[in-house]
mmCIF file of all heavy atoms in Angstrom:
data_model
loop_
_atom_site.group_PDB
_atom_site.id
_atom_site.type_symbol
_atom_site.label_atom_id
_atom_site.label_comp_id
_atom_site.label_asym_id
_atom_site.label_seq_id
_atom_site.Cartn_x
_atom_site.Cartn_y
_atom_site.Cartn_z
ATOM 1 N N LEU Z 147 15.236 1.337 -8.058
ATOM 2 C CA LEU Z 147 16.658 1.298 -8.518
ATOM 3 C C LEU Z 147 16.765 1.675 -9.976
ATOM 4 O O LEU Z 147 17.680 2.351 -10.403
ATOM 5 C CB LEU Z 147 17.279 -0.043 -8.244
ATOM 6 C CG LEU Z 147 17.420 -0.605 -6.840
ATOM 7 C CD1 LEU Z 147 17.902 -2.000 -6.720
ATOM 8 C CD2 LEU Z 147 18.408 0.455 -6.067
ATOM 9 N N SER Z 172 0.238 5.383 -17.009
ATOM 10 C CA SER Z 172 1.065 4.984 -18.104
ATOM 11 C C SER Z 172 1.396 6.152 -19.016
ATOM 12 O O SER Z 172 0.775 7.159 -19.045
ATOM 13 C CB SER Z 172 0.352 3.820 -18.894
ATOM 14 O OG SER Z 172 -0.894 4.360 -19.372
ATOM 15 N N VAL Z 173 2.503 6.019 -19.845
ATOM 16 C CA VAL Z 173 2.947 6.937 -20.817
ATOM 17 C C VAL Z 173 2.866 6.265 -22.155
ATOM 18 O O VAL Z 173 3.496 5.328 -22.409
ATOM 19 C CB VAL Z 173 4.350 7.464 -20.508
ATOM 20 C CG1 VAL Z 173 4.856 8.355 -21.519
ATOM 21 C CG2 VAL Z 173 4.502 7.999 -19.104
ATOM 22 N N ARG Z 181 -5.381 4.179 -17.075
ATOM 23 C CA ARG Z 181 -6.005 3.252 -17.987
ATOM 24 C C ARG Z 181 -6.210 3.878 -19.387
ATOM 25 O O ARG Z 181 -5.201 4.136 -20.042
ATOM 26 C CB ARG Z 181 -7.310 2.547 -17.406
ATOM 27 C CG ARG Z 181 -7.074 1.798 -16.168
ATOM 28 C CD ARG Z 181 -8.253 0.835 -15.840
ATOM 29 N NE ARG Z 181 -8.016 0.301 -14.467
ATOM 30 C CZ ARG Z 181 -7.417 -0.880 -14.298
ATOM 31 N NH1 ARG Z 181 -6.817 -1.501 -15.304
ATOM 32 N NH2 ARG Z 181 -7.250 -1.380 -13.079
ATOM 33 N N VAL Z 201 7.087 17.942 -16.914
ATOM 34 C CA VAL Z 201 6.246 16.776 -17.200
ATOM 35 C C VAL Z 201 6.457 16.429 -18.679
ATOM 36 O O VAL Z 201 6.666 15.207 -19.029
ATOM 37 C CB VAL Z 201 4.737 17.065 -16.865
ATOM 38 C CG1 VAL Z 201 3.948 15.776 -17.271
ATOM 39 C CG2 VAL Z 201 4.557 17.354 -15.425
ATOM 40 N N TYR Z 202 6.342 17.355 -19.603
ATOM 41 C CA TYR Z 202 6.673 17.033 -21.046
ATOM 42 C C TYR Z 202 7.999 16.468 -21.234
ATOM 43 O O TYR Z 202 8.159 15.530 -22.038
ATOM 44 C CB TYR Z 202 6.455 18.247 -21.889
ATOM 45 C CG TYR Z 202 4.964 18.717 -22.067
ATOM 46 C CD1 TYR Z 202 4.486 19.829 -21.576
ATOM 47 C CD2 TYR Z 202 4.127 17.832 -22.735
ATOM 48 C CE1 TYR Z 202 3.151 20.192 -21.758
ATOM 49 C CE2 TYR Z 202 2.753 18.174 -22.972
ATOM 50 C CZ TYR Z 202 2.292 19.326 -22.456
ATOM 51 O OH TYR Z 202 0.969 19.683 -22.624
ATOM 52 N N TYR Z 207 11.593 11.829 -22.420
ATOM 53 C CA TYR Z 207 12.705 11.086 -21.933
ATOM 54 C C TYR Z 207 12.316 9.567 -21.833
ATOM 55 O O TYR Z 207 13.025 8.732 -22.240
ATOM 56 C CB TYR Z 207 13.216 11.634 -20.587
ATOM 57 C CG TYR Z 207 14.432 10.871 -20.113
ATOM 58 C CD1 TYR Z 207 15.659 10.903 -20.730
ATOM 59 C CD2 TYR Z 207 14.295 10.224 -18.804
ATOM 60 C CE1 TYR Z 207 16.747 10.208 -20.153
ATOM 61 C CE2 TYR Z 207 15.484 9.625 -18.333
ATOM 62 C CZ TYR Z 207 16.603 9.609 -18.975
ATOM 63 O OH TYR Z 207 17.750 8.990 -18.400
ATOM 64 N N TRP Z 236 -16.107 -4.946 6.436
ATOM 65 C CA TRP Z 236 -14.912 -5.768 6.376
ATOM 66 C C TRP Z 236 -13.880 -5.224 7.386
ATOM 67 O O TRP Z 236 -13.928 -4.127 7.777
ATOM 68 C CB TRP Z 236 -14.279 -5.756 4.960
ATOM 69 C CG TRP Z 236 -15.152 -6.177 3.889
ATOM 70 C CD1 TRP Z 236 -16.221 -7.033 3.908
ATOM 71 C CD2 TRP Z 236 -15.100 -5.730 2.528
ATOM 72 N NE1 TRP Z 236 -16.782 -7.122 2.729
ATOM 73 C CE2 TRP Z 236 -16.192 -6.369 1.790
ATOM 74 C CE3 TRP Z 236 -14.290 -4.828 1.787
ATOM 75 C CZ2 TRP Z 236 -16.498 -6.134 0.468
ATOM 76 C CZ3 TRP Z 236 -14.573 -4.642 0.415
ATOM 77 C CH2 TRP Z 236 -15.575 -5.289 -0.177
ATOM 78 N N GLU Z 237 -12.890 -6.141 7.684
ATOM 79 C CA GLU Z 237 -11.794 -5.689 8.549
ATOM 80 C C GLU Z 237 -10.475 -5.664 7.718
ATOM 81 O O GLU Z 237 -10.375 -6.378 6.790
ATOM 82 C CB GLU Z 237 -11.519 -6.632 9.669
ATOM 83 C CG GLU Z 237 -12.661 -6.583 10.739
ATOM 84 C CD GLU Z 237 -12.350 -7.357 12.031
ATOM 85 O OE1 GLU Z 237 -11.494 -8.204 12.006
ATOM 86 O OE2 GLU Z 237 -13.032 -7.029 13.053
ATOM 87 N N GLU Z 240 -3.533 -3.986 8.960
ATOM 88 C CA GLU Z 240 -2.357 -3.198 8.425
ATOM 89 C C GLU Z 240 -1.181 -3.622 9.233
ATOM 90 O O GLU Z 240 -1.187 -3.356 10.477
ATOM 91 C CB GLU Z 240 -2.667 -1.691 8.591
ATOM 92 C CG GLU Z 240 -1.574 -0.807 8.166
ATOM 93 C CD GLU Z 240 -1.904 0.645 8.333
ATOM 94 O OE1 GLU Z 240 -3.077 1.122 8.498
ATOM 95 O OE2 GLU Z 240 -0.826 1.428 8.289
ATOM 96 N N VAL Z 241 -0.203 -4.282 8.581
ATOM 97 C CA VAL Z 241 0.888 -4.845 9.361
ATOM 98 C C VAL Z 241 2.179 -4.274 8.790
ATOM 99 O O VAL Z 241 2.502 -4.392 7.681
ATOM 100 C CB VAL Z 241 0.880 -6.451 9.275
ATOM 101 C CG1 VAL Z 241 2.052 -6.937 10.028
ATOM 102 C CG2 VAL Z 241 -0.459 -6.917 9.686
ATOM 103 N N ASP Z 244 9.368 -5.877 9.081
ATOM 104 C CA ASP Z 244 10.802 -5.589 8.909
ATOM 105 C C ASP Z 244 11.291 -5.877 7.491
ATOM 106 O O ASP Z 244 11.001 -6.906 6.927
ATOM 107 C CB ASP Z 244 11.614 -6.536 9.909
ATOM 108 C CG ASP Z 244 13.111 -6.239 9.893
ATOM 109 O OD1 ASP Z 244 13.811 -6.744 9.076
ATOM 110 O OD2 ASP Z 244 13.527 -5.428 10.732
ATOM 111 N N HIS Z 262 -6.807 -20.581 9.256
ATOM 112 C CA HIS Z 262 -8.044 -20.326 9.965
ATOM 113 C C HIS Z 262 -9.170 -19.978 9.025
ATOM 114 O O HIS Z 262 -10.282 -19.511 9.423
ATOM 115 C CB HIS Z 262 -7.803 -19.088 10.882
ATOM 116 C CG HIS Z 262 -6.975 -19.499 12.128
ATOM 117 N ND1 HIS Z 262 -5.594 -19.512 12.022
ATOM 118 C CD2 HIS Z 262 -7.331 -19.883 13.343
ATOM 119 C CE1 HIS Z 262 -5.156 -19.954 13.214
ATOM 120 N NE2 HIS Z 262 -6.169 -20.145 13.993
ATOM 121 N N PRO Z 279 8.269 -1.745 4.737
ATOM 122 C CA PRO Z 279 7.080 -2.523 4.053
ATOM 123 C C PRO Z 279 5.913 -2.561 4.943
ATOM 124 O O PRO Z 279 5.957 -2.745 6.174
ATOM 125 C CB PRO Z 279 7.741 -3.873 3.938
ATOM 126 C CG PRO Z 279 9.132 -3.816 4.271
ATOM 127 C CD PRO Z 279 9.339 -2.541 5.077
ATOM 128 N N VAL Z 291 -9.803 -13.820 17.512
ATOM 129 C CA VAL Z 291 -8.935 -13.297 18.416
ATOM 130 C C VAL Z 291 -7.616 -14.011 18.426
ATOM 131 O O VAL Z 291 -6.525 -13.416 18.514
ATOM 132 C CB VAL Z 291 -9.548 -13.296 19.812
ATOM 133 C CG1 VAL Z 291 -8.542 -12.811 20.847
ATOM 134 C CG2 VAL Z 291 -10.796 -12.437 19.867
ATOM 135 N N LYS Z 315 -16.528 6.847 16.712
ATOM 136 C CA LYS Z 315 -15.197 7.240 16.373
ATOM 137 C C LYS Z 315 -14.351 7.652 17.597
ATOM 138 O O LYS Z 315 -13.156 7.607 17.531
ATOM 139 C CB LYS Z 315 -15.212 8.372 15.354
ATOM 140 C CG LYS Z 315 -15.731 7.952 14.017
ATOM 141 C CD LYS Z 315 -15.457 8.911 12.934
ATOM 142 C CE LYS Z 315 -15.927 8.365 11.615
ATOM 143 N NZ LYS Z 315 -15.587 9.217 10.444
#
Side-chain angles (χ1 to χ4, degrees):
L147 294 175
S172 60
V173 176
R181 296 196 186 274
V201 178
Y202 283 117
Y207 182 64
W236 304 331
E237 288 191 344
E240 179 182 342
V241 185
D244 184 273
H262 288 80
V291 176
K315 292 193 176 187

